[in-house]
Amino acid sequence: MFDPIHALIHANPKFHELVRKREQLAWLLSLTMLGLYLAFILVIAFKPALLGTRISAGAPMTWGIPVGIGLILSAFVLTGIYVHRANSEFDRLNGEIMDEAKH
């Protein structure tokens, strides 16, 4: 099933470092997003008046709109964090692993 290059890659400590770092980051970002959504849902469930409060006395918009938009934007920010790490650190490690496997 494995050819020699796969065995070299799998035996490389940098490969295990790459896998560990990617998993840690993925879990951290996933749990962060889950926590944000959970907090939002719990506020809606137990303190709906908090998000239903108008931003200012005469304003038609409540706090729920910017908080909801912020929640959506947080997903883009967390994705950007992952992409930045993937394009810098993870790609560098991947290149080192491939270079060592070819030699």
Side-chain angles (χ1 to χ4, degrees), residues 9-22 97:
I9 291 170
H10 195 69
N12 191 327
K14 289 181 183 178
F15 173 75
H16 296 284
E17 176 188 358
L18 174 64
V19 170
R20 181 182 49 79
K21 285 184 175 184
R22 282 183 15 184
I97 293 165

Side-chain angles (χ1 to χ4, degrees), residues 7-84:
L8 285 172
I9 291 170
H10 195 69
N12 191 327
K14 289 181 183 178
F15 173 75
H16 296 284
E17 176 188 358
L18 174 64
V19 170
R20 181 182 49 79
K21 285 184 175 184
R22 282 183 15 184
E23 284 180 357
Q24 284 178 343
L25 182 62
W27 277 108
L28 175 67
L29 296 177
S30 296
L31 290 174
T32 300
M33 195 71 235
L34 179 64
L36 291 172
Y37 273 115
L38 181 62
F40 184 70
I41 297 301
L42 290 174
V43 169
I44 290 171
F46 297 108
K47 295 282 188 179
L50 187 65
L51 294 177
T53 305
R54 296 191 184 278
I55 291 178
S56 64
M61 188 178 347
T62 64
W63 281 106
I65 301 297
V67 170
I69 291 171
L71 186 62
I72 292 168
L73 291 176
S74 69
F76 287 100
V77 169
L78 293 175
T79 301
I81 291 169
Y82 184 86
V83 168
H84 174 71

